[in-house]
Amino acid sequence: MTSEPVLSIRDITKHFGAVKALTGVNFTLARGEIHALCGENGAGKSTLMNILAGVLQPDEGEILLDGKPRKIASPSVAQSLGIGLVHQEIALCPDASVAENIFMAKTSRRRSLLMNYRKLERDAQKVMDRLAPIDVRGKVGDLTISSQQLVEIAKALTLDCRVLIFDEPTAALTEAETRILFDIIRELKAQGISIIYISHRMAEIFNLCDRVTVLRDGRYVSTEDVANVTPDDVVRRMVGREITQLYPSKQTHAEHSGETILSVRNLGDKDRFANVSFDLARGEILGIGGLIGSGRTEIAEGICGLRATIEGKVFLHDNPQTIRTYADAVKSGIVYLSEDRKGSGVFLDLSIAQNISVLNLKAVTGHLGLIDAKAEGQLARDFARKLGVRMSHVDMPVSSLSGGNQQKVAIAKQLAVQPKVILMDEPTRGIDVGAKSEIHQLLRELARSGIGIVVISSELPELLGLCDRVLVIREGAVAGELDSAEMSEEAIIRLASGLKHTNTHASEHAA
Ligand SMILES: Nc1ncnc2c1ncn2[C@@H]1O[C@H](COP(=O)(O)OP(=O)(O)OP(=O)(O)O)[C@@H](O)[C@H]1O
Ligand SMILES: [Mg+2]
């Protein structure tokens, strides 16, 4: 790579009030390379990419394209310069069709009143088909998050980019979808397009990328050829220390109370799952594995009143519960952390403090029935400290936090209710390695304090490392249960896919 870089970032600094998100950051992107950008939650990755995409303006520093200094004053300037960004947070219009969303960026530029609708749909379908069989006439709001993520990617593929940025594109994708995306990214590279790729998954970075740049606390740390470093090296540069213990120790025999806290019996809804039964003991962390789309989320939603069930029962300490709404579930002591933090996890416009107390207003309401802001702030500060949320103040809106820190607020919000049972759907998605092990540690402590925890995860190492037992779901039914002695990646995959024997490795999802 001797030719002039496509893109050079020089000494970029960016403040948000008192928060110094970026300090003197340098970065160069070579023509036709795939360049990974790594760093802990809040390291400044998305901020830097938003500056490149014209969404944010830097306080200092300059950006050179083909050696020429450029001011990227707005997203449309970025687009005309050939810089495209696949956002970390899905930024689609839920009420518009897939086709309209895919071409929104382009059409808004032309503001053409006489759009040829048929042609728009045909073109959109062509782009979409490269990724997945999604009908572009459907409404985006009706799609799963995984499909929405693919639409977000399709949208970026329609722009004529020289530089294409992917900010954690695979967080919501299946392994098969990830493989298709990687093929497309490699194709783009072969066409001479330069790619910046952000991910917390080391396996992806080492599989896909040519070079890797690490940021820490808003500062540039290093850039290296991927061939010359190991995942451990990258993690060490990211966190500035060695992570010795990735997972907390599991439940000991003595800790196993045997006391059942939650029982689910023959639960079924209209179409997605049927006859689901399992028990959860006090102090236990039960993993739920299975392919994306197998019905795991729907089962969790069925248990906590977010989805109508037509058969079966949920018991807490042997008492049958009537759970018709999520408020019923919370009252019973069951909470659910949804996989889609933007949809139902957190309110982006509310403050960190308001989010954390929203399910537990009782605790922060004074005797006149007014919310006691001081109590609210204290509650939030306690939980934010426990979870290590990186923030300047609890009164800041959640939208001001980095993606991973928003996830921690979503977890804090559920914990603030002091639940008996907590169901978590992909709790560490988008969370960096360091924070992830902190969250795992916290879950184990919560279990030790007597809570029952259910963790739905598509990451096999997480199921194996964290959970005491794993239930595998296939096509809306329990395909099998594995105790700690039987648990292995292969055993889970075999049950999840219905195969008798397999040698498959879930390499792309390894942390
Ligand atoms: N609009 C904003 N207002 C205030 N602070 C902000 C804003 N956007 C980002 N920040 C802060 O800037 C810092 C960098 O955030 P950024 O989103 O760039 O992190 P990141 O590296 O993308 O993290 P993640 O892996 O969690 O996505 C964080 O401390 C964040 O709280
Ligand atoms: Mg980010």
Side-chain angles (χ1 to χ4, degrees), residues 206-342:
F206 279 78
N207 176 340
L208 182 70
C209 302
D210 302 306
R211 292 199 294 168
V212 52
T213 288
V214 175
L215 298 182
R216 181 164 76 231
D217 292 331
R219 288 169 196 274
Y220 170 85
V221 176
S222 61
T223 301
E224 270 144 324
D225 282 344
V226 166
N228 297 336
V229 286
T230 64
D232 277 346
D233 295 333
V234 176
V235 170
R236 211 174 310 118
R237 286 173 182 57
M238 272 167 58
V239 299
R241 65 189 147 86
E242 199 90 38
I243 294 192
T244 44
Q245 199 190 6
L246 225 39
Y247 292 100
S249 53
K250 297 203 183 186
Q251 193 177 41
T252 61
H253 192 67
E255 279 169 350
H256 194 344
S257 63
E259 180 192 335
T260 300
I261 173 163
L262 172 80
S263 303
V264 174
R265 286 290 169 272
N266 307 322
L267 203 66
D269 77 339
K270 257 200 343 278
D271 49 2
R272 296 305 306 275
F273 61 93
N275 207 18
V276 170
S277 299
F278 66 90
D279 289 330
L280 174 71
R282 228 177 105 92
E284 184 182 36
I285 302 183
L286 171 67
I288 298 195
L291 303 176
I292 292 182
S294 57
R296 298 170 303 170
T297 295
E298 289 80 359
I299 292 168
E301 288 174 347
I303 292 171
C304 64
L306 288 165
R307 166 180 288 266
T309 51
I310 54 167
E311 53 179 13
K313 268 250 146 290
V314 172
F315 298 84
L316 268 178
H317 298 295
D318 294 333
N319 298 316
Q321 306 291 311
T322 308
I323 298 173
R324 292 212 183 83
T325 63
Y326 187 58
D328 292 341
V330 172
K331 227 181 287 159
S332 297
I334 303 175
V335 296
Y336 171 61
L337 176 79
S338 104
E339 64 176 329
D340 172 13
R341 72 168 165 267
K342 219 174 166 187

Side-chain angles (χ1 to χ4, degrees), residues 243 245-250 285 386-387 408 411 415 424 426-429 431-448 453 455-457 459-467 511:
I243 294 192
Q245 199 190 6
L246 225 39
Y247 292 100
S249 53
K250 297 203 183 186
I285 302 183
K386 255 192 221 165
L387 279 115
K408 293 186 202 168
I411 294 176
L415 294 181
M424 313 185 108
E426 310 283 1
T428 60
R429 171 180 291 166
I431 300 253
D432 72 56
V433 253
K436 197 165 171 174
S437 82
E438 283 165 26
I439 286 176
H440 288 152
Q441 209 74 46
L442 181 88
L443 293 182
R444 183 48 77 188
E445 278 164 34
L446 287 165
R448 292 230 157 87
I453 300 178
V455 173
I456 298 174
S457 175
E459 238 186 87
L460 296 177
E462 178 167 63
L463 286 176
L464 298 175
L466 178 68
C467 303

Side-chain angles (χ1 to χ4, degrees), residues 16 19 21 40-47 88 200 400-404:
F16 294 104
V19 179
E40 291 185 278
N41 296 133
K45 305 178 295 293
S46 296
T47 303
Q88 177 174 19
H200 289 296
S400 73
L401 296 177
S402 77

Side-chain angles (χ1 to χ4, degrees), residues 34 86 130-132 146 149-157 164-189 195-199 201 204 207-208 508:
I34 307 179
V86 177
R130 290 175 69 183
L131 287 155
S146 139
Q149 182 77 67
L150 292 168
V151 173
E152 184 83 50
I153 294 168
K155 189 171 149 188
L157 294 180
L164 193 48
I165 305 162
F166 291 90
D167 195 348
E168 284 194 57
T170 58
L173 298 189
T174 64
E175 272 189 57
E177 289 164 346
T178 299
R179 241 172 278 132
I180 293 172
L181 174 65
F182 281 15
D183 287 345
I184 291 177
I185 292 180
R186 291 195 182 99
E187 239 172 74
L188 294 171
K189 169 186 159 149
I195 312 277
I196 302 176
Y197 188 85
I198 299 180
S199 174
R201 294 180 178 157
E204 291 186 354
N207 176 340
L208 182 70
E508 314 253 283

